[in-house]
Amino acid sequence: MYQRIFVPVDDSETSNLALHEACHLAKEVGASLKLVHVVDLAQFGWGGTEFLDATELQKSIKQAGEQVLGQAGAKAKELGVTADCKILESWGDKIAAVLVDDAGAWGADLIVMGTHGWSGLMHLLMGSVAEGVLKLADVPVLLVRNPGD
């Protein structure tokens, strides 16, 4: 059964549902849990920030990510699971690739994440990190969808 469960988190309700599912599964099978949050810093690295200090903006983005990750870690603990937590930085990379690379480096044997299940124009405009992870991952991926989406 699964021993290392990798869970990307953000501050969405869908992500929270995936976190709950991952925690229940980890507790049931005695698996380790790793929670990650990706911050994309490239958009603030150059250009378009004439009125803002890019370094301060990047610091603020990282702090917001740490807060999201801290809340997810606290929720996991509430559910009876201790999780390793890590901020992943992207510098314009595809978020899905950043996630799959870190999951592989950690030795994950399952990825659990939320998906909004967008289709049509919304999918075209917003893309899908979950779809990218599905295409790139060489381990099973459990997608949790919010019925309200």
Side-chain angles (χ1 to χ4, degrees):
M1 194 38 102
Y2 304 114
Q3 295 302 305
R4 297 174 72 80
I5 302 174
F6 184 87
V7 187
V9 297
D10 58 27
D11 60 352
S12 70
E13 182 59 30
T14 301
S15 176
N16 289 333
L17 291 170
L19 175 61
H20 276 79
E21 191 67 31
C23 287
H24 291 301
L25 182 58
K27 194 171 180 182
E28 184 73 28
V29 301
S32 298
L33 197 65
K34 181 174 182 181
L35 309 180
V36 299
H37 179 76
V38 180
V39 293
D40 187 0
L41 301 173
Q43 60 188 322
F44 305 109
W46 56 275
T49 58
E50 300 88 20
F51 304 107
L52 300 171
D53 181 354
T55 303
E56 283 301 310
L57 195 50
Q58 289 172 348
K59 183 178 173 184
S60 181
I61 296 294
K62 286 181 188 179
Q63 287 173 340
E66 291 286 354
Q67 184 176 4
V68 167
L69 203 52
Q71 290 170 344
K75 180 55 75 176
K77 191 171 185 175
E78 234 177 71
L79 294 169
V81 180
T82 301
D84 291 328
C85 298
K86 181 179 179 186
I87 287 287
L88 302 177
E89 293 180 6
S90 170
W91 289 90
D93 306 307
K94 295 280 187 191
I95 303 288
V98 171
L99 291 170
V100 170
D101 288 349
D102 196 68
W106 184 63
D109 51 19
L110 177 67
I111 299 171
V112 178
M113 64 188 299
T115 181
H116 294 281
W118 288 322
S119 61
L121 182 59
M122 196 62 170
H123 176 72
L124 182 63
L125 294 173
M126 299 300 290
S128 172
V129 174
E131 183 178 355
V133 168
L134 276 174
K135 288 179 180 177
L136 296 173
D138 57 2
V139 297
V141 178
L142 172 60
L143 296 179
V144 178
R145 185 165 180 215
N146 185 345
D149 281 348

